[in-house]
Amino acid sequence: LPYKWATIETGLKFTRFSNNSNVQYFRYQNGDYAIDNSKSNIFEYKENNAATYISVSKDFGKKWAMKVGLRYEYSTIGGYSETINERNENNYSNFFPTAYLAYKSNENNTFSINYSKRINRPNFSALNPFRWYSNPYSFYTGNPFLSPSYNHNLEFSYLYKSKLSVTLYGQKFINGYGKITTLKEGIKEVNYKNYLTQYDLGLNMSLYTNPTKWWENNINLISFYSTSESSIPEVVPQKGFSIYYTINNTFTLNKKKSILFLLNF
């Protein structure tokens, strides 16, 4: 929807996910295999997600650009385990804002800042309460009461001539979930639980150069510091610094550019 004062974009989205799984265990007896109904599983899973969004973008002259948006989602989840005759239903809704502001000082330099909130939904296997046995003393199971996790992300970026890109970011990850192992009466159980809060502060950098006509160089650097909090006493919070980098070189060995030599680290 283009207007003189701004450009508006809006829409609706509906997603439906349906999965029916049938897992059968057999016991070997008297030279034949017989189905073991106590361990077999028929699981029906359905997930509906309805969303609506609106965004407003505007350019302020040739130097400034802005965009803000808001998305609303409503989700319903239903799972039924025929084997254990257990039915679980859940629903949740939330708002997800985004904001972006860019400043182009000249043709070569662009600065920007943006914020976003995202959602990470558990898949149906993490919600299935059925026990998946790997051996008589160990099984995996899902948590039908598992809830989604959310991520808040704030970024400051700088771009120079589409050759140098530098981004400083901060993230807050809340209500994170994962597999938790417990031992009860000699039986190992692996289940999903919400327990994690994590904070990240990082720097991403990419530099592309042409030292000569026959040499292209690309350097990428990713580094971040991460610290976490756990709501489960048995899970010890972790923190630390990480760095990852690559150096890629491409050398052209003939005028037709059909023979290349790559040197990467």
Side-chain angles (χ1 to χ4, degrees):
L1 304 173
Y3 294 97
K4 291 183 178 180
W5 57 274
T7 299
I8 298 178
E9 181 180 347
T10 184
L12 301 172
K13 182 179 180 180
F14 179 78
T15 304
R16 177 178 176 85
F17 180 82
S18 178
N19 181 277
N20 296 325
S21 58
N22 189 342
V23 180
Q24 296 179 333
Y25 282 86
F26 292 83
R27 185 180 297 275
Y28 186 73
Q29 291 179 331
N30 302 323
D32 197 7
Y33 287 95
I35 189 170
D36 187 348
N37 291 319
S38 65
K39 294 183 175 62
S40 298
N41 177 46
I42 298 177
F43 185 66
E44 300 176 2
Y45 176 81
K46 291 179 173 59
E47 177 181 320
N48 297 323
N49 177 260
T52 179
Y53 76 95
I54 183 171
S55 66
V56 179
S57 59
K58 181 177 177 59
D59 293 335
F60 299 91
K62 296 182 179 181
K63 293 183 177 295
W64 291 91
M66 176 205 70
K67 186 175 183 178
V68 294
L70 183 65
R71 188 175 84 254
Y72 173 79
E73 291 189 4
Y74 180 78
S75 301
T76 61
I77 297 173
Y80 174 64
S81 177
E82 181 178 314
T83 306
I84 61 177
N85 192 28
E86 180 175 319
R87 183 181 300 275
N88 300 101
E89 296 182 354
N90 188 20
N91 61 80
Y92 50 84
S93 60
N94 216 318
F95 288 94
F96 299 91
T98 57
Y100 171 82
L101 180 65
Y103 172 68
K104 191 173 184 179
S105 60
N106 51 47
E107 292 296 325
N108 298 328
N109 298 277
T110 302
F111 303 85
S112 64
I113 178 174
N114 69 80
Y115 165 80
S116 63
K117 179 183 177 182
R118 305 297 183 191
I119 184 174
N120 180 32
R121 301 179 183 85
N123 56 36
F124 74 94
S125 61
L127 299 168
N128 188 351
F130 178 73
R131 294 183 176 185
W132 306 73
Y133 285 88
S134 56
N135 58 62
Y137 308 100
S138 178
F139 68 87
Y140 296 79
T141 184
N143 180 5
F145 303 103
L146 200 66
S147 58
S149 59
Y150 300 92
N151 184 66
H152 298 268
N153 184 65
L154 181 64
E155 293 184 352
F156 299 89
S157 299
Y158 168 70
L159 181 64
Y160 175 73
K161 283 187 175 181
S162 299
K163 292 180 176 293
L164 173 64
S165 174
V166 181
T167 299
L168 177 66
Y169 70 90
Q171 290 184 352
K172 182 181 180 181
F173 180 67
I174 59 177
N175 206 40
Y177 57 86
K179 294 180 179 179
I180 301 296
T181 302
T182 58
L183 190 64
K184 298 178 182 179
E185 299 179 354
I187 304 297
K188 185 180 76 170
E189 175 184 347
V190 180
N191 198 351
Y192 288 85
K193 291 184 179 180
N194 296 96
Y195 67 92
L196 179 66
T197 300
Q198 182 171 311
Y199 302 89
D200 295 330
L201 180 63
L203 174 68
N204 296 341
M205 186 184 72
S206 177
L207 176 63
Y208 175 81
T209 58
N210 286 97
T212 65
K213 293 182 179 181
W214 46 268
W215 178 16
E216 296 181 7
N217 176 263
N218 192 7
I219 300 175
N220 292 281
L221 171 68
I222 300 175
S223 62
F224 65 91
Y225 175 80
S226 178
T227 182
S228 61
E229 300 173 357
S230 172
S231 61
I232 300 178
E234 292 80 9
V235 179
V236 180
Q238 303 291 326
K239 62 180 179 179
F241 175 79
S242 177
I243 185 170
Y244 168 81
Y245 60 91
T246 61
I247 303 173
N248 301 318
N249 298 278
T250 301
F251 301 93
T252 304
L253 302 185
N254 61 348
K255 292 183 178 180
K256 294 182 178 181
K257 297 184 179 181
S258 59
I259 302 177
L260 304 177
F261 175 72
L262 307 181
L263 181 61
N264 303 326
F265 176 76

